[in-house]
Amino acid sequence: EVRLVQSGAEVKKPGESLKISCRASGYNFIDYWIGWVRQMPGKGLELMGFVFPGNSDTRYSPSFPGVVTMSVDKSVTTAYLRWSRLRASDTAIYYCARVAGGWTLESHFDSWGQGTLVTVSS
Amino acid sequence: DIVMTQSPDSLAVPLGERATIKCKSSQSVLSTSINRNYLAWYQQKPGQPPKLLVYWASTRASGVPDRFSGSGSGTDFTLTISGLQAEDVAVYYCQHCYSTPFTFGPGTRVDIK
């Protein structure tokens, strides 16, 4: 069974850094793209970008230029999303999701993590 | 970038009746070489992550009840719930995966009338 388990909720202050995680199991981690999706309070889904665990290739959506850094650690089958300086507008739920197409990026998300709530407030 | 729109924004349907949601892309998401529409539908219930319902516009995901069906091609797509159940109350999103950035529609909220 494919599982994506995300780290717990975070409360941070503006200007602080943060790294959240998404641990994968039940499949060959290095063979499938992982995407990150933002959902601001009461709003819809926004795709932030993708990372390919096999070679750490990343594709960031134009709407999130330089806002976050995506990375992986193959040894623990975990993907990460990192902010160097948080802003109040980063308050949202962040989901990781597996792209069904394997090495092919152009495909749908077939499994989702449970989401990580990030609250940024002074 | 391909822009996705959905209609209506919300709808309320009596239990057991049909719910129809439309999704339109600003350009075609059909690959004519392999005759595949790069369009998926997701269901998001309150407090839960999205769940894949339909991919390639009309292929139901594993375990999804057959009252959910997807149709359409090119730029115009439809998700139909035939016989709405109480557990179908949710927000439904379409998403294209034709070319990056893959964008989601704004969502359609479905409630019971």
Side-chain angles (χ1 to χ4, degrees), chain B residues 22-40:
Chain B
K22 302 285 189 183
C23 173
K24 189 174 182 68
S25 56
S26 61
Q27 63 190 74
S28 177
V29 297
L30 169 65
S31 170
T32 52
S33 60
I34 57 173
N35 195 31
R36 172 181 287 175
N37 285 284
Y38 286 77
L39 191 285

Side-chain angles (χ1 to χ4, degrees), chain B residues 15-84:
Chain B
L15 283 171
E17 297 296 305
R18 174 175 298 184
T20 302
I21 302 168
K22 302 285 189 183
C23 173
K24 189 174 182 68
S25 56
S26 61
Q27 63 190 74
S28 177
V29 297
L30 169 65
S31 170
T32 52
S33 60
I34 57 173
N35 195 31
R36 172 181 287 175
N37 285 284
Y38 286 77
L39 191 285
W41 289 95
Y42 302 89
Q43 174 194 63
Q44 187 177 33
K45 297 181 180 180
Q48 296 186 19
K51 171 189 170 184
L52 177 67
L53 290 178
V54 170
Y55 58 97
W56 306 146
S58 60
T59 302
R60 210 176 297 117
S62 176
V64 173
D66 59 8
R67 62 180 179 274
F68 292 93
S69 63
S71 62
S73 184
T75 61
D76 293 278
F77 301 91
T78 301
L79 178 70
T80 302
I81 311 172
S82 303
L84 190 74

Side-chain angles (χ1 to χ4, degrees), chain A residues 4-5 12 26 45 47 52 57 61 63 69-70 91 99 104-105 111-112:
Chain A
L4 299 175
V5 178
K12 305 293 271 187
L45 305 172
L47 181 59
F52 188 68
D57 187 14
S61 295
S63 301
T69 302
M70 298 174 190
T91 295
V99 177
T104 300
L105 181 58
S111 294
W112 293 70

Side-chain angles (χ1 to χ4, degrees), chain A residues 37 39 42-47 50 59 61-63 95 99-100 104-115, chain B residues 1 36 38 40 42 44 47-52 54-56 93 95 97-106 109:
Chain A
V37 175
Q39 188 166 40
K43 301 299 183 182
L45 305 172
E46 301 172 273
L47 181 59
F50 300 93
R59 310 283 174 88
S61 295
S63 301
Y95 295 102
V99 177
T104 300
L105 181 58
E106 289 75 15
S107 189
H108 46 277
F109 292 124
D110 63 352
S111 294
W112 293 70
Q114 84 277 19
Chain B
D1 298 359
R36 172 181 287 175
Y38 286 77
Y42 302 89
Q44 187 177 33
Q48 296 186 19
K51 171 189 170 184
L52 177 67
V54 170
Y55 58 97
W56 306 146
Y93 296 93
Q95 182 208 15
C97 50
Y98 182 80
S99 61
T100 55
F102 305 157
T103 45
F104 292 90
R109 184 177 304 276

